[in-house]
Amino acid sequence: MVLPERELRWRFSRASGPGGQGVNTTDSRVELSFDVAGSPSIPEQLRSRALARLGNRLVDGVLTIVAAEHRSQLRNRDAARERLVAALQEATKADPPTRRPTKPSAGARRRRLDAKTRRGAIKKLRGRPDE
């Protein structure tokens, strides 16, 4: 799946944190928005899966990623792009195979009960001797 640059919306603002004198003048905080619900780049099946899994992170079908941990806008842009890719990959990956329940074998049940019996016998020997 390839996302064209025209479908990404970038916004920049001043970030808090380290940066010295430049922190008050550079717009290094990055907000990357991607319209998951309206994107023609995502196949319909993957879109419905992504909308279901990203439901709590979406506002009107738009996923917004914020990056402000680096001092430079370029590094924050790269971080936001990587997070968007990771979020979409996680949301669109296939479901794991369903688990088929199994029963313990007869030998495993017997060994478990034998171990319980041995443990009980050990604990019984800790008591006072009968006269």
Side-chain angles (χ1 to χ4, degrees):
M1 179 170 54
V2 177
L3 302 178
E5 188 68 32
R6 68 179 180 276
E7 291 186 29
L8 304 178
R9 300 284 175 253
W10 298 92
R11 285 185 53 208
F12 308 102
S13 60
R14 293 192 181 131
S16 62
Q21 294 173 345
V23 76
N24 297 323
T25 59
T26 57
D27 291 340
S28 59
R29 181 176 182 266
V30 173
E31 282 185 33
L32 173 58
S33 299
F34 177 67
D35 187 5
V36 178
S39 173
S41 305
I42 302 177
E44 186 57 41
Q45 182 181 6
L46 295 180
R47 182 181 305 124
S48 60
R49 189 183 299 166
L51 289 172
R53 291 183 180 167
L54 292 172
N56 57 342
R57 294 184 63 182
L58 299 178
V59 177
D60 297 329
V62 177
L63 175 64
T64 302
I65 307 287
V66 177
E69 63 269 9
H70 301 291
R71 289 176 60 172
S72 82
Q73 186 187 100
L74 183 63
R75 288 179 66 192
N76 282 331
R77 285 174 71 117
D78 292 340
R81 196 177 292 119
E82 288 172 11
R83 279 195 227 145
L84 175 67
V85 168
L88 289 176
Q89 282 179 343
E90 184 66 27
T92 57
K93 72 179 182 182
D95 292 330
T98 55
R99 181 186 174 275
R100 292 196 324 239
T102 58
K103 294 179 182 176
S105 66
R109 275 196 299 263
R110 188 182 78 262
R111 285 190 298 274
R112 181 179 64 85
L113 293 176
D114 288 347
K116 285 169 72 80
T117 305
R118 279 194 305 275
R119 187 76 182 144
I122 290 170
K123 288 187 173 192
K124 196 169 194 174
L125 289 173
R126 292 182 188 156
R128 288 181 173 236
D130 292 336
E131 298 190 52

PDB file of all heavy atoms in Angstrom, residues 17-38:
ATOM      1  N   GLY A  17       9.873  22.251  25.118  1.00  0.00           N
ATOM      2  CA  GLY A  17      11.026  21.396  25.358  1.00  0.00           C
ATOM      3  C   GLY A  17      12.328  22.044  24.955  1.00  0.00           C
ATOM      4  O   GLY A  17      12.415  23.258  24.793  1.00  0.00           O
ATOM      5  N   PRO A  18      13.390  21.244  24.783  1.00  0.00           N
ATOM      6  CA  PRO A  18      14.714  21.775  24.536  1.00  0.00           C
ATOM      7  C   PRO A  18      14.812  22.456  23.176  1.00  0.00           C
ATOM      8  O   PRO A  18      14.070  22.154  22.258  1.00  0.00           O
ATOM      9  CB  PRO A  18      15.626  20.551  24.591  1.00  0.00           C
ATOM     10  CG  PRO A  18      14.745  19.411  24.249  1.00  0.00           C
ATOM     11  CD  PRO A  18      13.387  19.775  24.802  1.00  0.00           C
ATOM     12  N   GLY A  19      15.735  23.366  23.064  1.00  0.00           N
ATOM     13  CA  GLY A  19      15.943  24.048  21.800  1.00  0.00           C
ATOM     14  C   GLY A  19      16.643  25.374  21.970  1.00  0.00           C
ATOM     15  O   GLY A  19      16.950  26.046  20.997  1.00  0.00           O
ATOM     16  N   GLY A  20      16.869  25.769  23.212  1.00  0.00           N
ATOM     17  CA  GLY A  20      17.587  27.026  23.448  1.00  0.00           C
ATOM     18  C   GLY A  20      16.794  28.216  22.975  1.00  0.00           C
ATOM     19  O   GLY A  20      15.568  28.262  23.064  1.00  0.00           O
ATOM     20  N   GLN A  21      17.475  29.210  22.430  1.00  0.00           N
ATOM     21  CA  GLN A  21      16.803  30.416  21.967  1.00  0.00           C
ATOM     22  C   GLN A  21      15.886  30.135  20.788  1.00  0.00           C
ATOM     23  O   GLN A  21      14.887  30.817  20.580  1.00  0.00           O
ATOM     24  CB  GLN A  21      17.840  31.470  21.566  1.00  0.00           C
ATOM     25  CG  GLN A  21      18.655  31.965  22.730  1.00  0.00           C
ATOM     26  CD  GLN A  21      19.772  32.880  22.276  1.00  0.00           C
ATOM     27  OE1 GLN A  21      20.103  32.914  21.101  1.00  0.00           O
ATOM     28  NE2 GLN A  21      20.349  33.607  23.207  1.00  0.00           N
ATOM     29  N   GLY A  22      16.220  29.099  20.018  1.00  0.00           N
ATOM     30  CA  GLY A  22      15.435  28.802  18.824  1.00  0.00           C
ATOM     31  C   GLY A  22      14.072  28.210  19.120  1.00  0.00           C
ATOM     32  O   GLY A  22      13.223  28.140  18.236  1.00  0.00           O
ATOM     33  N   VAL A  23      13.827  27.754  20.366  1.00  0.00           N
ATOM     34  CA  VAL A  23      12.558  27.097  20.673  1.00  0.00           C
ATOM     35  C   VAL A  23      11.386  28.059  20.513  1.00  0.00           C
ATOM     36  O   VAL A  23      10.262  27.653  20.218  1.00  0.00           O
ATOM     37  CB  VAL A  23      12.585  26.465  22.086  1.00  0.00           C
ATOM     38  CG1 VAL A  23      12.426  27.515  23.163  1.00  0.00           C
ATOM     39  CG2 VAL A  23      11.506  25.418  22.230  1.00  0.00           C
ATOM     40  N   ASN A  24      11.619  29.349  20.653  1.00  0.00           N
ATOM     41  CA  ASN A  24      10.530  30.321  20.558  1.00  0.00           C
ATOM     42  C   ASN A  24      10.299  30.808  19.135  1.00  0.00           C
ATOM     43  O   ASN A  24       9.361  31.563  18.895  1.00  0.00           O
ATOM     44  CB  ASN A  24      10.828  31.523  21.455  1.00  0.00           C
ATOM     45  CG  ASN A  24      10.903  31.117  22.911  1.00  0.00           C
ATOM     46  OD1 ASN A  24      10.162  30.260  23.352  1.00  0.00           O
ATOM     47  ND2 ASN A  24      11.822  31.715  23.638  1.00  0.00           N
ATOM     48  N   THR A  25      11.154  30.440  18.213  1.00  0.00           N
ATOM     49  CA  THR A  25      11.039  30.976  16.854  1.00  0.00           C
ATOM     50  C   THR A  25      10.806  29.917  15.789  1.00  0.00           C
ATOM     51  O   THR A  25      10.293  30.237  14.720  1.00  0.00           O
ATOM     52  CB  THR A  25      12.305  31.763  16.477  1.00  0.00           C
ATOM     53  OG1 THR A  25      13.419  30.881  16.575  1.00  0.00           O
ATOM     54  CG2 THR A  25      12.511  32.947  17.394  1.00  0.00           C
ATOM     55  N   THR A  26      11.173  28.662  16.041  1.00  0.00           N
ATOM     56  CA  THR A  26      11.049  27.646  14.988  1.00  0.00           C
ATOM     57  C   THR A  26       9.786  26.818  15.193  1.00  0.00           C
ATOM     58  O   THR A  26       9.424  26.477  16.313  1.00  0.00           O
ATOM     59  CB  THR A  26      12.260  26.698  14.977  1.00  0.00           C
ATOM     60  OG1 THR A  26      12.375  26.097  16.264  1.00  0.00           O
ATOM     61  CG2 THR A  26      13.522  27.432  14.637  1.00  0.00           C
ATOM     62  N   ASP A  27       9.144  26.507  14.091  1.00  0.00           N
ATOM     63  CA  ASP A  27       7.950  25.658  14.121  1.00  0.00           C
ATOM     64  C   ASP A  27       8.384  24.213  13.942  1.00  0.00           C
ATOM     65  O   ASP A  27       8.305  23.652  12.846  1.00  0.00           O
ATOM     66  CB  ASP A  27       6.980  26.061  13.012  1.00  0.00           C
ATOM     67  CG  ASP A  27       6.351  27.415  13.260  1.00  0.00           C
ATOM     68  OD1 ASP A  27       6.360  27.839  14.422  1.00  0.00           O
ATOM     69  OD2 ASP A  27       5.864  28.030  12.303  1.00  0.00           O
ATOM     70  N   SER A  28       8.849  23.589  15.027  1.00  0.00           N
ATOM     71  CA  SER A  28       9.396  22.236  14.896  1.00  0.00           C
ATOM     72  C   SER A  28       8.381  21.152  15.239  1.00  0.00           C
ATOM     73  O   SER A  28       8.583  19.994  14.898  1.00  0.00           O
ATOM     74  CB  SER A  28      10.633  22.085  15.783  1.00  0.00           C
ATOM     75  OG  SER A  28      10.300  22.323  17.127  1.00  0.00           O
ATOM     76  N   ARG A  29       7.275  21.487  15.881  1.00  0.00           N
ATOM     77  CA  ARG A  29       6.240  20.492  16.190  1.00  0.00           C
ATOM     78  C   ARG A  29       5.471  20.185  14.905  1.00  0.00           C
ATOM     79  O   ARG A  29       5.091  21.073  14.155  1.00  0.00           O
ATOM     80  CB  ARG A  29       5.279  21.040  17.238  1.00  0.00           C
ATOM     81  CG  ARG A  29       4.188  20.085  17.647  1.00  0.00           C
ATOM     82  CD  ARG A  29       3.362  20.726  18.766  1.00  0.00           C
ATOM     83  NE  ARG A  29       2.330  19.848  19.233  1.00  0.00           N
ATOM     84  CZ  ARG A  29       1.070  19.868  18.777  1.00  0.00           C
ATOM     85  NH1 ARG A  29       0.721  20.741  17.857  1.00  0.00           N
ATOM     86  NH2 ARG A  29       0.186  19.047  19.261  1.00  0.00           N
ATOM     87  N   VAL A  30       5.218  18.880  14.675  1.00  0.00           N
ATOM     88  CA  VAL A  30       4.594  18.442  13.430  1.00  0.00           C
ATOM     89  C   VAL A  30       3.314  17.685  13.746  1.00  0.00           C
ATOM     90  O   VAL A  30       3.293  16.830  14.635  1.00  0.00           O
ATOM     91  CB  VAL A  30       5.564  17.516  12.649  1.00  0.00           C
ATOM     92  CG1 VAL A  30       4.882  16.922  11.448  1.00  0.00           C
ATOM     93  CG2 VAL A  30       6.800  18.267  12.239  1.00  0.00           C
ATOM     94  N   GLU A  31       2.247  18.027  13.028  1.00  0.00           N
ATOM     95  CA  GLU A  31       1.003  17.257  13.073  1.00  0.00           C
ATOM     96  C   GLU A  31       0.758  16.714  11.676  1.00  0.00           C
ATOM     97  O   GLU A  31       0.652  17.469  10.718  1.00  0.00           O
ATOM     98  CB  GLU A  31      -0.186  18.135  13.472  1.00  0.00           C
ATOM     99  CG  GLU A  31      -0.272  18.432  14.928  1.00  0.00           C
ATOM    100  CD  GLU A  31      -1.539  19.200  15.267  1.00  0.00           C
ATOM    101  OE1 GLU A  31      -2.574  18.975  14.597  1.00  0.00           O
ATOM    102  OE2 GLU A  31      -1.481  20.012  16.186  1.00  0.00           O
ATOM    103  N   LEU A  32       0.662  15.405  11.576  1.00  0.00           N
ATOM    104  CA  LEU A  32       0.413  14.744  10.298  1.00  0.00           C
ATOM    105  C   LEU A  32      -0.984  14.149  10.347  1.00  0.00           C
ATOM    106  O   LEU A  32      -1.285  13.340  11.227  1.00  0.00           O
ATOM    107  CB  LEU A  32       1.454  13.652  10.057  1.00  0.00           C
ATOM    108  CG  LEU A  32       1.259  12.749   8.848  1.00  0.00           C
ATOM    109  CD1 LEU A  32       1.211  13.558   7.566  1.00  0.00           C
ATOM    110  CD2 LEU A  32       2.365  11.718   8.780  1.00  0.00           C
ATOM    111  N   SER A  33      -1.856  14.562   9.425  1.00  0.00           N
ATOM    112  CA  SER A  33      -3.227  14.055   9.375  1.00  0.00           C
ATOM    113  C   SER A  33      -3.431  13.259   8.101  1.00  0.00           C
ATOM    114  O   SER A  33      -2.970  13.659   7.026  1.00  0.00           O
ATOM    115  CB  SER A  33      -4.224  15.215   9.416  1.00  0.00           C
ATOM    116  OG  SER A  33      -4.074  15.927  10.613  1.00  0.00           O
ATOM    117  N   PHE A  34      -4.131  12.149   8.245  1.00  0.00           N
ATOM    118  CA  PHE A  34      -4.428  11.286   7.105  1.00  0.00           C
ATOM    119  C   PHE A  34      -5.878  10.844   7.204  1.00  0.00           C
ATOM    120  O   PHE A  34      -6.313  10.307   8.229  1.00  0.00           O
ATOM    121  CB  PHE A  34      -3.495  10.065   7.097  1.00  0.00           C
ATOM    122  CG  PHE A  34      -3.794   9.100   5.997  1.00  0.00           C
ATOM    123  CD1 PHE A  34      -3.594   9.441   4.675  1.00  0.00           C
ATOM    124  CD2 PHE A  34      -4.286   7.835   6.285  1.00  0.00           C
ATOM    125  CE1 PHE A  34      -3.879   8.543   3.660  1.00  0.00           C
ATOM    126  CE2 PHE A  34      -4.568   6.942   5.281  1.00  0.00           C
ATOM    127  CZ  PHE A  34      -4.362   7.298   3.964  1.00  0.00           C
ATOM    128  N   ASP A  35      -6.643  11.083   6.144  1.00  0.00           N
ATOM    129  CA  ASP A  35      -8.059  10.730   6.110  1.00  0.00           C
ATOM    130  C   ASP A  35      -8.201   9.253   5.748  1.00  0.00           C
ATOM    131  O   ASP A  35      -8.177   8.877   4.575  1.00  0.00           O
ATOM    132  CB  ASP A  35      -8.791  11.607   5.091  1.00  0.00           C
ATOM    133  CG  ASP A  35     -10.294  11.407   5.130  1.00  0.00           C
ATOM    134  OD1 ASP A  35     -10.777  10.659   6.005  1.00  0.00           O
ATOM    135  OD2 ASP A  35     -10.985  12.007   4.290  1.00  0.00           O
ATOM    136  N   VAL A  36      -8.341   8.421   6.776  1.00  0.00           N
ATOM    137  CA  VAL A  36      -8.445   6.975   6.554  1.00  0.00           C
ATOM    138  C   VAL A  36      -9.772   6.643   5.880  1.00  0.00           C
ATOM    139  O   VAL A  36      -9.825   5.835   4.958  1.00  0.00           O
ATOM    140  CB  VAL A  36      -8.312   6.220   7.895  1.00  0.00           C
ATOM    141  CG1 VAL A  36      -8.461   4.722   7.690  1.00  0.00           C
ATOM    142  CG2 VAL A  36      -6.981   6.531   8.560  1.00  0.00           C
ATOM    143  N   ALA A  37     -10.840   7.293   6.317  1.00  0.00           N
ATOM    144  CA  ALA A  37     -12.168   6.968   5.796  1.00  0.00           C
ATOM    145  C   ALA A  37     -12.334   7.383   4.335  1.00  0.00           C
ATOM    146  O   ALA A  37     -13.030   6.709   3.577  1.00  0.00           O
ATOM    147  CB  ALA A  37     -13.236   7.641   6.659  1.00  0.00           C
ATOM    148  N   GLY A  38     -11.695   8.469   3.925  1.00  0.00           N
ATOM    149  CA  GLY A  38     -11.906   8.966   2.571  1.00  0.00           C
ATOM    150  C   GLY A  38     -10.762   8.732   1.612  1.00  0.00           C
ATOM    151  O   GLY A  38     -10.769   9.271   0.508  1.00  0.00           O
TER     152      GLY A  38
END
